[in-house]
Amino acid sequence: MIQIESVGKRIEELRQLLQQASYAYYVLDAPIMEDAVYDQLYRELQQLETQYPELIAPDSPTQRVGEKPATQFTSVRHNIPLYSLENAFNVDELQAWDQRWRRQVPTITAVEYVSELKIDGSAIALTYQNGILVRGATRGDGVMGEDITQNVRTIRSIPLRLNLAGLENLEKVEVRGEAFLPLEVFKQINEERLKAGEQLFANPRNAAAGTLRQLDSRIVARRRLDFFAYTLHIPGMDDASISNTQWEALELLQNMGFRVNPNHKLCSSLAEVAEYYKYWDTERLNLAYMTDGVVVKLNSFKLQEQLGFTQKFPRWAVALKYPAEEAPTRVENIAVNVGRTGALTPLAEMRPVQLAGTTVSRATLHNSDRIAQLDIRIGDTVIVRKAGEIIPEVVRVLKELRPADTEPFVMPSNCPVCGQPVVRESGEAVTRCVNASCAAILKGSIEHWVSRDALDIKGVGEKLVHQLVDKGLVHSVADLYELTESKLCALERMGQKSAEKLVDAIARSKNQPWSRVLYGLGIRHVGSVNAQLLTQKYLTVEELATAKQSDIEGIYGIGAEIAQSVYQWFRIHANQTLIERLQLAGLQFIAEVTTVGDGNQKLAGKTFVITGTLPTLKRDEAKVLIQKAGGKVTDSISKKTDYLVVGEDAGSKLDKAQELGINQLTEAQLLEILES
């Protein structure tokens, strides 16, 4: 016993020495011991842990590289959503952002801004429990990411244990940052891939993202990813003893053991931010890593909380990007599209041009205000770029090259699809068709419903949607669930097998969760992230439909604009009818329940799968009953499944359960367990 205690003390001493040395070397760039000494101490620790495996801890330096490759990554829910940032591409757009947030809080005058270089890497979220790293996850869709903890442990600039001197009572710490590949490392990796005959990485960002998703953490370790921390979340963040500002948070991150990009600046004015942005436009070329802009944040956390979020972005931050690649081309036509919200969007159809590695032939012109601002006409030569390296946009018109016979473009006064008059409400830049029966609005709403982030119905593309609407087979998304193989076979290029697959795909969409259904409804301003936030608060559609607007607005990340839109949507009779039809069709309007109010956890730790048709309960009703009792319900059978609840017409799941020896329950037996 005495020997184990002495060994334990020596192991702890070695861990602290090695942790201090790693922090000095990788974070401070100021080594405190020779490599040979570090190696000697590391080997001693390794030998002791091999001899006494019961003393191995997850924060030990020896645990940075996993010994066995992972078989797959599991999806995890972020404790706090990771929102993307709104982009600005010049100082004028930065000022426009500043004016927008100031309109929300007109009493605010002097503010401070924190300017940080925007690292061109891959965002990750880190969770520390009692100072120990317990989870690392990719950004994913901002709400759900992939658990890459094993790979995160290989990054030397990410501490496995935090320095919480003076903050020992902090149970949980959430850190956000960017994993990236230094340019020299990126160059070496591509040289090695070239010699091995492997495909080269296109850029350091893609290489970093691909590295983080390697199943073998030893490969990740060899690629020497680096990390800059930039966001800190701690329960009680408004406590002045922790931090009240982003500037203080960056300092606290450094004290905790993280590497923070040294190139950040506290600015007292927007002009100072603009100077910082201008300085790094050329100086960034001398950096050892890629940066594509400057992230500007309001320094005060109290002000950040006041401003909140839009559907997609925090109002208190903006990414001020450096100019993307630009190219000239000619406008051959200006078309007007009608979207699912009735918005008329002008679109420049251009002579194809190569831009940032892709061929571009169309670019959005947003609205009539943008057209007037550009004074763009058919026949004009324009400069096009990719906003955020993704969306093509027209930057400016080369009026000196304009043909003499061009005329100003005027937005139509009637919908180009249904012919009904369009309206432009006061204070809005968008012109809309308000005819609820407009075929374009219907087509757009169906395309949104079947999209990947909504109900994800494979095989229902734009062309098929147009056929379904034009042939009168579908008048709302609810009609999709009444389509039969015979109806579909009447369409062009639709054979029996294709019709069967489509009917099956539509049926499978009934299993999509309540959050996806809510997003699929296409409520204005409600994005996929907002939908998940709403369904975490309101577990059923009935709860959300009857919620007060003020209560909806109180959800973190949901502002007044979104709350008003949701509240008003559920007041419309046609929308209430749509919900009723979708419920009858079997769509999910009940969220997964992870806790219960009465504390009854009879099924805690047990995993269930439901198959077949149950005698009295619908599947979602059985699912909720299991979840309320602490159980977990999944869609597929595995060795981790504890029970299979079996109804009539059970399929392959029953066969697999029998192969694996998994316990089977009838509905009656399940209810007996729950009621006992």
Side-chain angles (χ1 to χ4, degrees):
M1 186 68 178
I2 296 175
Q3 183 180 1
I4 291 181
E5 287 180 2
S6 62
V7 169
K9 288 179 181 179
R10 178 55 180 167
I11 285 177
E12 185 60 31
E13 181 184 12
L14 289 169
R15 286 174 185 162
Q16 290 180 5
L17 286 170
L18 292 170
Q19 183 180 5
Q20 291 168 4
S22 293
Y23 176 69
Y25 185 88
Y26 293 104
V27 178
L28 302 180
D29 197 20
I32 59 174
M33 70 172 61
E34 298 292 330
D35 289 349
V37 176
Y38 183 95
D39 291 342
Q40 182 179 347
L41 295 175
Y42 186 91
R43 280 196 299 272
E44 182 185 349
L45 175 61
Q46 207 170 29
Q47 290 168 357
L48 289 174
E49 288 183 341
T50 300
Q51 190 175 355
Y52 298 92
E54 68 272 20
L55 298 179
I56 296 175
D59 64 320
S60 173
T62 63
Q63 301 305 297
R64 281 200 177 273
V65 184
E67 295 183 359
K68 294 181 179 179
T71 56
Q72 63 180 0
F73 294 115
T74 57
S75 294
V76 291
R77 182 178 295 276
H78 293 300
N79 298 313
I80 300 170
L82 277 77
Y83 281 81
S84 55
L85 293 177
E86 181 180 4
N87 288 329
F89 292 95
N90 51 53
V91 174
D92 289 341
E93 292 183 7
L94 173 69
Q95 291 172 339
W97 163 78
D98 196 66
Q99 291 167 4
R100 282 197 299 276
W101 74 255
R102 285 182 182 276
R103 284 196 290 269
Q104 301 289 322
V105 282
T107 57
I108 298 292
T109 53
V111 296
E112 291 181 323
Y113 307 84
V114 177
S115 297
E116 307 169 38
L117 288 183
K118 185 177 181 297
I119 309 305
D120 203 13
S122 188
I124 55 178
L126 306 173
T127 303
Y128 289 82
Q129 196 76 36
N130 297 318
I132 305 299
L133 176 67
V134 294
R135 193 177 83 180
T138 61
R139 181 186 181 279
D141 63 4
V143 174
M144 300 292 293
E146 289 183 313
D147 190 332
I148 54 167
T149 308
Q150 188 169 323
N151 290 344
V152 164
R153 290 181 182 278
T154 71
I155 304 175
R156 299 283 178 173
S157 46
I158 293 180
L160 300 179
R161 173 187 287 181
L162 299 182
N163 173 21
L164 294 180
L167 298 170
E168 292 83 357
N169 61 330
L170 293 182
E171 292 184 7
K172 180 173 283 190
V173 175
E174 293 279 331
V175 175
R176 306 286 159 74
E178 201 84 3
F180 64 94
L181 277 173
L183 292 174
E184 189 60 35
V185 175
F186 170 72
K187 181 181 176 182
Q188 291 173 4
I189 291 173
N190 263 353
E191 287 174 353
E192 292 170 2
R193 293 177 74 84
L194 182 63
K195 290 178 182 177
E198 298 175 338
Q199 186 176 352
L200 302 185
F201 285 119
N203 52 54
R205 179 184 60 217
N206 289 356
T211 298
L212 285 172
R213 299 194 74 258
Q214 284 284 332
L215 294 175
D216 192 339
S217 63
R218 291 169 294 189
I219 296 175
V220 184
R222 287 198 296 271
R223 290 187 181 170
R224 292 177 288 160
L225 284 167
D226 209 336
F227 179 79
F228 281 140
Y230 52 67
T231 301
L232 177 65
H233 292 287
I234 302 175
M237 189 62 124
D238 58 344
D239 186 344
S241 65
I242 300 176
S243 63
N244 278 327
T245 66
Q246 172 66 9
W247 190 259
E248 291 173 2
L250 290 175
E251 184 178 355
L252 183 54
L253 283 166
Q254 285 181 297
N255 293 336
M256 286 180 170
F258 289 98
R259 191 174 179 212
V260 170
N261 192 326
N263 300 308
H264 59 274
K265 184 178 182 181
L266 184 62
C267 303
S268 58
S269 68
L270 214 59
E272 204 173 335
V273 173
E275 289 176 11
Y276 180 88
Y277 171 70
K278 184 178 179 181
Y279 172 81
W280 283 107
D281 189 11
T282 53
E283 283 300 311
R284 63 194 172 106
L285 302 177
N286 299 320
L287 292 170
Y289 48 84
M290 291 286 289
T291 176
D292 58 351
V294 173
V295 176
V296 184
K297 301 174 184 175
L298 297 179
N299 191 31
S300 167
F301 285 149
K302 184 176 181 181
L303 182 54
Q304 289 184 14
E305 186 178 353
Q306 277 183 271
L307 291 171
F309 302 81
T310 67
Q311 177 181 340
K312 296 181 179 179
F313 315 117
R315 290 190 175 92
W316 41 265
V318 67
L320 183 54
K321 304 289 282 293
Y322 289 112
E325 181 185 340
E326 299 179 346
T329 186
R330 181 184 173 91
V331 178
E332 297 181 335
N333 186 37
I334 297 178
V336 177
N337 287 347
V338 182
R340 63 182 174 85
T341 64
L344 272 63
T345 304
L347 194 72
E349 297 178 346
M350 307 169 298
R351 183 174 296 165
V353 62
Q354 284 293 311
L355 191 63
T358 60
T359 301
V360 173
S361 60
R362 301 195 304 176
T364 178
L365 297 174
H366 300 291
N367 51 54
S368 55
D369 285 353
R370 181 59 176 162
I371 287 178
Q373 183 184 39
L374 289 168
D375 185 21
I376 188 170
R377 307 179 185 187
I378 296 172
D380 274 341
T381 298
V382 297
I383 299 298
V384 186
R385 74 174 175 199
K386 279 194 173 181
E389 300 183 4
I390 298 174
I391 305 170
E393 68 173 359
V394 175
V395 180
R396 61 186 180 278
V397 176
L398 301 180
K399 294 180 182 178
E400 62 273 19
L401 301 179
R402 172 175 287 169
D405 59 349
T406 62
E407 295 181 0
F409 180 82
V410 179
M411 288 286 286
S413 56
N414 292 78
C415 174
V417 176
C418 69
Q420 294 297 309
V422 296
V423 299
R424 179 176 174 179
E425 295 182 7
S426 175
E428 284 201 0
V430 178
T431 303
R432 296 183 188 278
C433 172
V434 292
N435 174 20
S437 301
C438 177
I441 296 176
L442 175 58
K443 290 173 182 176
S445 65
I446 295 172
E447 288 173 13
H448 176 72
W449 178 266
V450 303
S451 65
R452 184 178 62 181
D453 291 337
L455 279 294
D456 193 22
I457 303 179
K458 301 289 192 299
V460 184
E462 181 180 343
K463 290 182 180 179
L464 180 59
V465 170
H466 283 230
Q467 278 200 75
L468 291 170
V469 174
D470 293 341
K471 297 289 185 182
L473 293 178
V474 172
H475 300 281
S476 82
V477 295
D479 291 333
L480 290 171
Y481 298 91
E482 296 179 5
L483 290 174
T484 61
E485 293 166 12
S486 60
K487 288 181 181 179
L488 290 169
C489 283
L491 299 175
E492 295 177 14
R493 298 182 180 180
M494 180 66 70
Q496 182 66 33
K497 287 187 178 179
S498 297
E500 289 174 2
K501 287 182 179 180
L502 197 56
V503 170
D504 287 343
I506 294 171
R508 285 196 300 273
S509 73
K510 296 178 183 181
N511 296 321
Q512 294 287 11
W514 163 214
S515 60
R516 281 178 174 256
V517 174
L518 178 60
Y519 173 61
L521 292 172
I523 301 173
R524 196 173 172 200
H525 303 308
V526 176
S528 57
V529 173
N530 302 138
Q532 297 207 38
L533 295 175
L534 288 165
T535 54
Q536 287 173 27
K537 170 71 173 178
Y538 300 105
L539 302 183
T540 68
V541 68
E542 289 79 13
E543 290 180 13
L544 180 57
T546 56
K548 295 179 181 177
Q549 183 175 325
S550 57
D551 291 339
I552 299 172
E553 189 177 336
I555 301 172
Y556 180 81
I558 302 294
E561 188 177 47
I562 299 170
Q564 182 182 31
S565 181
V566 171
Y567 180 81
Q568 291 178 344
W569 192 92
F570 280 102
R571 310 273 86 71
I572 298 172
H573 179 72
N575 294 336
Q576 296 169 5
T577 302
L578 175 62
I579 295 294
E580 290 172 1
R581 289 189 63 196
L582 290 172
Q583 284 180 313
L584 289 172
L587 275 295
Q588 303 291 322
F589 287 93
I590 300 175
E592 288 192 359
V593 181
T594 55
T595 59
V596 294
D598 61 5
N600 186 340
Q601 296 284 288
K602 293 178 182 177
L603 304 181
K606 302 297 182 183
T607 300
F608 290 74
V609 173
I610 305 170
T611 186
T613 304
L614 302 180
T616 64
L617 295 174
K618 293 181 180 178
R619 282 199 193 186
D620 59 352
E621 292 174 336
K623 182 177 181 180
V624 169
L625 288 174
I626 292 169
Q627 290 173 334
K628 283 185 175 181
K632 178 182 177 183
V633 180
T634 62
D635 292 327
S636 57
I637 293 283
S638 71
K639 291 180 180 179
K640 295 182 180 179
T641 305
D642 294 294
Y643 295 99
L644 177 69
V645 181
V646 183
E648 290 184 11
D649 301 322
S652 58
K653 291 178 183 177
L654 177 58
D655 296 334
K656 189 168 182 180
Q658 291 171 339
E659 285 179 22
L660 297 174
I662 291 168
N663 295 320
Q664 298 160 36
L665 297 175
T666 62
E667 179 191 293
Q669 289 171 324
L670 172 64
L671 294 174
E672 186 179 345
I673 293 172
L674 292 170
E675 293 169 3
S676 62

